[in-house]
mmCIF file of all heavy atoms in Angstrom:
data_model
loop_
_atom_site.group_PDB
_atom_site.id
_atom_site.type_symbol
_atom_site.label_atom_id
_atom_site.label_comp_id
_atom_site.label_asym_id
_atom_site.label_seq_id
_atom_site.Cartn_x
_atom_site.Cartn_y
_atom_site.Cartn_z
ATOM 1 N N LYS A 1 0.849 -1.195 -0.001
ATOM 2 C CA LYS A 1 -0.005 -0.003 -0.002
ATOM 3 C C LYS A 1 0.888 1.240 -0.003
ATOM 4 O O LYS A 1 1.928 1.300 0.655
ATOM 5 C CB LYS A 1 -0.916 0.016 1.216
ATOM 6 C CG LYS A 1 -1.939 -1.083 1.222
ATOM 7 C CD LYS A 1 -2.970 -0.863 0.159
ATOM 8 C CE LYS A 1 -4.069 -1.900 0.241
ATOM 9 N NZ LYS A 1 -4.991 -1.812 -0.865
ATOM 10 N N LYS A 2 0.431 2.240 -0.729
ATOM 11 C CA LYS A 2 1.136 3.528 -0.790
ATOM 12 C C LYS A 2 0.519 4.479 0.229
ATOM 13 O O LYS A 2 -0.610 4.293 0.678
ATOM 14 C CB LYS A 2 0.983 4.158 -2.179
ATOM 15 C CG LYS A 2 1.512 3.315 -3.315
ATOM 16 C CD LYS A 2 1.363 4.031 -4.659
ATOM 17 C CE LYS A 2 -0.086 4.025 -5.125
ATOM 18 N NZ LYS A 2 -0.248 4.592 -6.467
ATOM 19 N N VAL A 3 1.261 5.520 0.553
ATOM 20 C CA VAL A 3 0.744 6.629 1.363
ATOM 21 C C VAL A 3 0.835 7.889 0.512
ATOM 22 O O VAL A 3 1.859 8.164 -0.108
ATOM 23 C CB VAL A 3 1.553 6.799 2.669
ATOM 24 C CG1 VAL A 3 1.109 8.065 3.405
ATOM 25 C CG2 VAL A 3 1.375 5.571 3.565
ATOM 26 N N ALA A 4 -0.264 8.614 0.475
ATOM 27 C CA ALA A 4 -0.281 9.905 -0.215
ATOM 28 C C ALA A 4 -0.004 11.003 0.799
ATOM 29 O O ALA A 4 -0.553 10.994 1.900
ATOM 30 C CB ALA A 4 -1.650 10.141 -0.858
ATOM 31 N N VAL A 5 0.849 11.921 0.428
ATOM 32 C CA VAL A 5 1.096 13.126 1.222
ATOM 33 C C VAL A 5 0.618 14.289 0.358
ATOM 34 O O VAL A 5 1.202 14.562 -0.692
ATOM 35 C CB VAL A 5 2.586 13.283 1.609
ATOM 36 C CG1 VAL A 5 2.786 14.567 2.393
ATOM 37 C CG2 VAL A 5 3.059 12.070 2.407
ATOM 38 N N ILE A 6 -0.452 14.906 0.798
ATOM 39 C CA ILE A 6 -1.066 16.001 0.049
ATOM 40 C C ILE A 6 -0.846 17.304 0.803
ATOM 41 O O ILE A 6 -1.173 17.401 1.994
ATOM 42 C CB ILE A 6 -2.587 15.759 -0.144
ATOM 43 C CG1 ILE A 6 -2.874 14.348 -0.661
ATOM 44 C CG2 ILE A 6 -3.177 16.831 -1.047
ATOM 45 C CD1 ILE A 6 -2.279 14.034 -2.015
ATOM 46 N N MET A 7 -0.305 18.286 0.108
ATOM 47 C CA MET A 7 -0.059 19.617 0.707
ATOM 48 C C MET A 7 -1.035 20.605 0.108
ATOM 49 O O MET A 7 -1.302 20.558 -1.101
ATOM 50 C CB MET A 7 1.352 20.108 0.381
ATOM 51 C CG MET A 7 2.473 19.197 0.777
ATOM 52 S SD MET A 7 4.068 19.850 0.205
ATOM 53 C CE MET A 7 3.913 19.644 -1.560
ATOM 54 N N GLY A 8 -1.534 21.493 0.930
ATOM 55 C CA GLY A 8 -2.421 22.531 0.437
ATOM 56 C C GLY A 8 -1.684 23.571 -0.394
ATOM 57 O O GLY A 8 -2.277 24.264 -1.213
ATOM 58 N N SER A 9 -0.375 23.653 -0.194
ATOM 59 C CA SER A 9 0.454 24.638 -0.894
ATOM 60 C C SER A 9 1.884 24.109 -0.939
ATOM 61 O O SER A 9 2.308 23.380 -0.036
ATOM 62 C CB SER A 9 0.423 25.972 -0.143
ATOM 63 O OG SER A 9 1.416 26.855 -0.628
ATOM 64 N N ASP A 10 2.632 24.519 -1.959
ATOM 65 C CA ASP A 10 4.031 24.117 -2.004
ATOM 66 C C ASP A 10 4.835 24.702 -0.855
ATOM 67 O O ASP A 10 5.902 24.204 -0.518
ATOM 68 C CB ASP A 10 4.666 24.453 -3.359
ATOM 69 C CG ASP A 10 4.688 25.932 -3.669
ATOM 70 O OD1 ASP A 10 3.990 26.722 -3.008
ATOM 71 O OD2 ASP A 10 5.409 26.308 -4.609
ATOM 72 N N SER A 11 4.318 25.743 -0.210
ATOM 73 C CA SER A 11 5.016 26.317 0.937
ATOM 74 C C SER A 11 4.993 25.371 2.139
ATOM 75 O O SER A 11 5.729 25.565 3.101
ATOM 76 C CB SER A 11 4.400 27.671 1.329
ATOM 77 O OG SER A 11 3.066 27.505 1.775
ATOM 78 N N ASP A 12 4.165 24.315 2.088
ATOM 79 C CA ASP A 12 4.116 23.314 3.156
ATOM 80 C C ASP A 12 5.212 22.264 3.010
ATOM 81 O O ASP A 12 5.405 21.439 3.908
ATOM 82 C CB ASP A 12 2.756 22.606 3.177
ATOM 83 C CG ASP A 12 1.612 23.572 3.414
ATOM 84 O OD1 ASP A 12 1.803 24.577 4.133
ATOM 85 O OD2 ASP A 12 0.504 23.324 2.881
ATOM 86 N N PHE A 13 5.937 22.284 1.911
ATOM 87 C CA PHE A 13 6.943 21.255 1.644
ATOM 88 C C PHE A 13 7.999 21.144 2.736
ATOM 89 O O PHE A 13 8.340 20.022 3.150
ATOM 90 C CB PHE A 13 7.583 21.448 0.277
ATOM 91 C CG PHE A 13 8.548 20.352 -0.090
ATOM 92 C CD1 PHE A 13 8.108 19.052 -0.236
ATOM 93 C CD2 PHE A 13 9.898 20.623 -0.266
ATOM 94 C CE1 PHE A 13 8.987 18.029 -0.555
ATOM 95 C CE2 PHE A 13 10.780 19.612 -0.586
ATOM 96 C CZ PHE A 13 10.336 18.312 -0.729
ATOM 97 N N PRO A 14 8.543 22.248 3.272
ATOM 98 C CA PRO A 14 9.543 22.097 4.332
ATOM 99 C C PRO A 14 9.001 21.320 5.546
ATOM 100 O O PRO A 14 9.767 20.617 6.214
ATOM 101 C CB PRO A 14 9.890 23.530 4.719
ATOM 102 C CG PRO A 14 9.611 24.323 3.481
ATOM 103 C CD PRO A 14 8.392 23.656 2.860
ATOM 104 N N VAL A 15 7.716 21.427 5.806
ATOM 105 C CA VAL A 15 7.115 20.684 6.921
ATOM 106 C C VAL A 15 6.970 19.213 6.565
ATOM 107 O O VAL A 15 7.341 18.333 7.350
ATOM 108 C CB VAL A 15 5.744 21.289 7.314
ATOM 109 C CG1 VAL A 15 5.027 20.405 8.334
ATOM 110 C CG2 VAL A 15 5.916 22.697 7.852
ATOM 111 N N VAL A 16 6.458 18.895 5.397
ATOM 112 C CA VAL A 16 6.149 17.495 5.053
ATOM 113 C C VAL A 16 7.357 16.679 4.640
ATOM 114 O O VAL A 16 7.264 15.449 4.574
ATOM 115 C CB VAL A 16 5.038 17.376 3.986
ATOM 116 C CG1 VAL A 16 3.758 18.064 4.436
ATOM 117 C CG2 VAL A 16 5.486 17.881 2.646
ATOM 118 N N LYS A 17 8.491 17.330 4.399
ATOM 119 C CA LYS A 17 9.689 16.582 4.020
ATOM 120 C C LYS A 17 10.016 15.481 5.018
ATOM 121 O O LYS A 17 10.408 14.375 4.634
ATOM 122 C CB LYS A 17 10.888 17.523 3.872
ATOM 123 C CG LYS A 17 11.002 18.163 2.518
ATOM 124 C CD LYS A 17 12.068 19.201 2.411
ATOM 125 C CE LYS A 17 13.431 18.747 2.809
ATOM 126 N NZ LYS A 17 14.477 19.761 2.543
ATOM 127 N N SER A 18 9.841 15.767 6.301
ATOM 128 C CA SER A 18 10.178 14.746 7.303
ATOM 129 C C SER A 18 9.235 13.551 7.214
ATOM 130 O O SER A 18 9.646 12.408 7.457
ATOM 131 C CB SER A 18 10.175 15.335 8.716
ATOM 132 O OG SER A 18 8.897 15.810 9.068
ATOM 133 N N ALA A 19 7.972 13.769 6.849
ATOM 134 C CA ALA A 19 7.035 12.652 6.670
ATOM 135 C C ALA A 19 7.485 11.783 5.506
ATOM 136 O O ALA A 19 7.496 10.542 5.607
ATOM 137 C CB ALA A 19 5.622 13.162 6.428
ATOM 138 N N VAL A 20 7.867 12.394 4.425
ATOM 139 C CA VAL A 20 8.336 11.640 3.259
ATOM 140 C C VAL A 20 9.587 10.838 3.639
ATOM 141 O O VAL A 20 9.707 9.656 3.276
ATOM 142 C CB VAL A 20 8.602 12.577 2.064
ATOM 143 C CG1 VAL A 20 9.244 11.829 0.906
ATOM 144 C CG2 VAL A 20 7.318 13.268 1.625
ATOM 145 N N GLY A 21 10.480 11.443 4.393
ATOM 146 C CA GLY A 21 11.697 10.748 4.824
ATOM 147 C C GLY A 21 11.385 9.524 5.686
ATOM 148 O O GLY A 21 11.977 8.457 5.489
ATOM 149 N N VAL A 22 10.466 9.663 6.629
ATOM 150 C CA VAL A 22 10.093 8.538 7.487
ATOM 151 C C VAL A 22 9.491 7.410 6.652
ATOM 152 O O VAL A 22 9.833 6.240 6.813
ATOM 153 C CB VAL A 22 9.112 8.980 8.601
ATOM 154 C CG1 VAL A 22 8.485 7.777 9.296
ATOM 155 C CG2 VAL A 22 9.823 9.869 9.621
ATOM 156 N N LEU A 23 8.578 7.763 5.765
ATOM 157 C CA LEU A 23 7.954 6.740 4.924
ATOM 158 C C LEU A 23 8.984 6.021 4.071
ATOM 159 O O LEU A 23 8.969 4.788 3.945
ATOM 160 C CB LEU A 23 6.856 7.373 4.060
ATOM 161 C CG LEU A 23 5.651 7.910 4.847
ATOM 162 C CD1 LEU A 23 4.786 8.788 3.955
ATOM 163 C CD2 LEU A 23 4.846 6.784 5.458
ATOM 164 N N LYS A 24 9.898 6.766 3.499
ATOM 165 C CA LYS A 24 10.949 6.139 2.683
ATOM 166 C C LYS A 24 11.865 5.275 3.538
ATOM 167 O O LYS A 24 12.322 4.217 3.089
ATOM 168 C CB LYS A 24 11.735 7.209 1.923
ATOM 169 C CG LYS A 24 10.942 7.783 0.765
ATOM 170 C CD LYS A 24 11.779 8.725 -0.075
ATOM 171 C CE LYS A 24 10.990 9.130 -1.308
ATOM 172 N NZ LYS A 24 11.840 9.689 -2.346
ATOM 173 N N ASP A 25 12.147 5.702 4.771
ATOM 174 C CA ASP A 25 12.968 4.880 5.677
ATOM 175 C C ASP A 25 12.339 3.519 5.922
ATOM 176 O O ASP A 25 13.041 2.540 6.143
ATOM 177 C CB ASP A 25 13.184 5.589 7.021
ATOM 178 C CG ASP A 25 14.177 6.733 6.934
ATOM 179 O OD1 ASP A 25 14.898 6.847 5.921
ATOM 180 O OD2 ASP A 25 14.217 7.536 7.899
ATOM 181 N N PHE A 26 11.023 3.446 5.904
ATOM 182 C CA PHE A 26 10.312 2.182 6.088
ATOM 183 C C PHE A 26 9.963 1.505 4.766
ATOM 184 O O PHE A 26 9.195 0.539 4.739
ATOM 185 C CB PHE A 26 9.031 2.401 6.920
ATOM 186 C CG PHE A 26 9.298 2.548 8.390
ATOM 187 C CD1 PHE A 26 9.266 3.806 8.988
ATOM 188 C CD2 PHE A 26 9.600 1.447 9.166
ATOM 189 C CE1 PHE A 26 9.507 3.944 10.352
ATOM 190 C CE2 PHE A 26 9.838 1.573 10.531
ATOM 191 C CZ PHE A 26 9.801 2.826 11.116
ATOM 192 N N ASP A 27 10.515 2.011 3.679
ATOM 193 C CA ASP A 27 10.269 1.456 2.343
ATOM 194 C C ASP A 27 8.786 1.456 1.982
ATOM 195 O O ASP A 27 8.299 0.533 1.310
ATOM 196 C CB ASP A 27 10.843 0.038 2.198
ATOM 197 C CG ASP A 27 12.354 0.030 2.352
ATOM 198 O OD1 ASP A 27 13.002 0.941 1.789
ATOM 199 O OD2 ASP A 27 12.877 -0.868 3.046
ATOM 200 N N ILE A 28 8.079 2.465 2.443
ATOM 201 C CA ILE A 28 6.665 2.617 2.105
ATOM 202 C C ILE A 28 6.580 3.518 0.872
ATOM 203 O O ILE A 28 7.085 4.647 0.893
ATOM 204 C CB ILE A 28 5.874 3.235 3.270
ATOM 205 C CG1 ILE A 28 5.902 2.292 4.475
ATOM 206 C CG2 ILE A 28 4.436 3.540 2.847
ATOM 207 C CD1 ILE A 28 5.352 2.900 5.755
ATOM 208 N N PRO A 29 5.965 3.038 -0.194
ATOM 209 C CA PRO A 29 5.818 3.882 -1.377
ATOM 210 C C PRO A 29 5.000 5.139 -1.030
ATOM 211 O O PRO A 29 3.983 5.051 -0.353
ATOM 212 C CB PRO A 29 5.056 2.997 -2.374
ATOM 213 C CG PRO A 29 5.210 1.604 -1.868
ATOM 214 C CD PRO A 29 5.364 1.708 -0.390
ATOM 215 N N VAL A 30 5.486 6.264 -1.489
ATOM 216 C CA VAL A 30 4.834 7.534 -1.148
ATOM 217 C C VAL A 30 4.690 8.383 -2.399
ATOM 218 O O VAL A 30 5.550 8.382 -3.264
ATOM 219 C CB VAL A 30 5.625 8.280 -0.048
ATOM 220 C CG1 VAL A 30 7.043 8.577 -0.485
ATOM 221 C CG2 VAL A 30 4.929 9.548 0.387
ATOM 222 N N GLU A 31 3.568 9.066 -2.491
ATOM 223 C CA GLU A 31 3.350 10.065 -3.542
ATOM 224 C C GLU A 31 3.063 11.385 -2.861
ATOM 225 O O GLU A 31 2.308 11.446 -1.898
ATOM 226 C CB GLU A 31 2.152 9.696 -4.425
ATOM 227 C CG GLU A 31 2.436 8.594 -5.403
ATOM 228 C CD GLU A 31 1.282 8.392 -6.386
ATOM 229 O OE1 GLU A 31 0.451 9.319 -6.578
ATOM 230 O OE2 GLU A 31 1.206 7.282 -6.947
ATOM 231 N N LEU A 32 3.649 12.436 -3.382
ATOM 232 C CA LEU A 32 3.489 13.780 -2.841
ATOM 233 C C LEU A 32 2.815 14.646 -3.882
ATOM 234 O O LEU A 32 3.228 14.648 -5.045
ATOM 235 C CB LEU A 32 4.871 14.335 -2.485
ATOM 236 C CG LEU A 32 4.940 15.705 -1.845
ATOM 237 C CD1 LEU A 32 4.407 15.660 -0.423
ATOM 238 C CD2 LEU A 32 6.373 16.192 -1.840
ATOM 239 N N HIS A 33 1.764 15.364 -3.481
ATOM 240 C CA HIS A 33 1.033 16.237 -4.405
ATOM 241 C C HIS A 33 0.636 17.536 -3.710
ATOM 242 O O HIS A 33 0.480 17.577 -2.494
ATOM 243 C CB HIS A 33 -0.255 15.554 -4.906
ATOM 244 C CG HIS A 33 -0.012 14.300 -5.670
ATOM 245 N ND1 HIS A 33 0.410 14.297 -6.984
ATOM 246 C CD2 HIS A 33 -0.122 12.998 -5.313
ATOM 247 C CE1 HIS A 33 0.535 13.055 -7.389
ATOM 248 N NE2 HIS A 33 0.236 12.240 -6.398
ATOM 249 N N VAL A 34 0.449 18.569 -4.507
ATOM 250 C CA VAL A 34 -0.122 19.823 -4.034
ATOM 251 C C VAL A 34 -1.554 19.891 -4.552
ATOM 252 O O VAL A 34 -1.786 19.806 -5.765
ATOM 253 C CB VAL A 34 0.670 21.055 -4.556
ATOM 254 C CG1 VAL A 34 0.000 22.349 -4.123
ATOM 255 C CG2 VAL A 34 2.110 21.008 -4.085
ATOM 256 N N MET A 35 -2.506 19.995 -3.631
ATOM 257 C CA MET A 35 -3.925 20.135 -3.968
ATOM 258 C C MET A 35 -4.556 21.015 -2.917
ATOM 259 O O MET A 35 -4.258 20.878 -1.731
ATOM 260 C CB MET A 35 -4.630 18.775 -3.958
ATOM 261 C CG MET A 35 -4.157 17.828 -5.012
ATOM 262 S SD MET A 35 -5.018 16.260 -4.862
ATOM 263 C CE MET A 35 -3.986 15.260 -5.920
ATOM 264 N N SER A 36 -5.404 21.878 -3.348
ATOM 265 C CA SER A 36 -6.034 22.820 -2.427
ATOM 266 C C SER A 36 -7.520 22.495 -2.265
ATOM 267 O O SER A 36 -8.223 22.270 -3.253
ATOM 268 C CB SER A 36 -5.883 24.244 -2.968
ATOM 269 O OG SER A 36 -6.672 25.140 -2.230
ATOM 270 N N ALA A 37 -7.968 22.501 -1.010
ATOM 271 C CA ALA A 37 -9.401 22.291 -0.744
ATOM 272 C C ALA A 37 -10.221 23.436 -1.331
ATOM 273 O O ALA A 37 -11.399 23.255 -1.653
ATOM 274 C CB ALA A 37 -9.634 22.210 0.759
ATOM 275 N N HIS A 38 -9.597 24.602 -1.487
ATOM 276 C CA HIS A 38 -10.332 25.792 -1.935
ATOM 277 C C HIS A 38 -10.065 26.162 -3.391
ATOM 278 O O HIS A 38 -10.952 26.642 -4.077
ATOM 279 C CB HIS A 38 -9.963 26.977 -1.033
ATOM 280 C CG HIS A 38 -10.229 26.688 0.406
ATOM 281 N ND1 HIS A 38 -9.220 26.447 1.300
ATOM 282 C CD2 HIS A 38 -11.382 26.546 1.097
ATOM 283 C CE1 HIS A 38 -9.743 26.199 2.494
ATOM 284 N NE2 HIS A 38 -11.040 26.252 2.403
ATOM 285 N N ARG A 39 -8.839 25.929 -3.856
ATOM 286 C CA ARG A 39 -8.478 26.340 -5.218
ATOM 287 C C ARG A 39 -8.600 25.219 -6.246
ATOM 288 O O ARG A 39 -8.811 25.475 -7.428
ATOM 289 C CB ARG A 39 -7.065 26.926 -5.224
ATOM 290 C CG ARG A 39 -6.983 28.203 -4.392
ATOM 291 C CD ARG A 39 -5.579 28.794 -4.441
ATOM 292 N NE ARG A 39 -5.511 29.941 -3.562
ATOM 293 C CZ ARG A 39 -4.980 29.914 -2.341
ATOM 294 N NH1 ARG A 39 -4.447 28.820 -1.856
ATOM 295 N NH2 ARG A 39 -4.961 31.008 -1.613
ATOM 296 N N THR A 40 -8.434 23.961 -5.799
ATOM 297 C CA THR A 40 -8.581 22.810 -6.707
ATOM 298 C C THR A 40 -9.437 21.733 -6.041
ATOM 299 O O THR A 40 -9.012 20.581 -5.895
ATOM 300 C CB THR A 40 -7.203 22.227 -7.110
ATOM 301 O OG1 THR A 40 -6.536 21.768 -5.919
ATOM 302 C CG2 THR A 40 -6.351 23.229 -7.866
ATOM 303 N N PRO A 41 -10.632 22.092 -5.622
ATOM 304 C CA PRO A 41 -11.447 21.111 -4.890
ATOM 305 C C PRO A 41 -11.798 19.882 -5.704
ATOM 306 O O PRO A 41 -11.858 18.778 -5.158
ATOM 307 C CB PRO A 41 -12.712 21.904 -4.498
ATOM 308 C CG PRO A 41 -12.776 23.036 -5.464
ATOM 309 C CD PRO A 41 -11.333 23.368 -5.797
ATOM 310 N N GLU A 42 -11.997 20.030 -7.009
ATOM 311 C CA GLU A 42 -12.336 18.878 -7.840
ATOM 312 C C GLU A 42 -11.178 17.873 -7.862
ATOM 313 O O GLU A 42 -11.382 16.659 -7.754
ATOM 314 C CB GLU A 42 -12.681 19.291 -9.278
ATOM 315 C CG GLU A 42 -13.915 20.177 -9.391
ATOM 316 C CD GLU A 42 -13.603 21.670 -9.213
ATOM 317 O OE1 GLU A 42 -12.417 22.046 -8.983
ATOM 318 O OE2 GLU A 42 -14.547 22.457 -9.291
#
């Protein structure tokens, strides 16, 4: 199973980098995307 890491803005990347690192340390496939609840709700 993969884990999705979704950021509301690319400015959140410095925060979520550690999550991506932990997931990769456990060999968990991860996908990172920028999606906004308000700007790209679809």
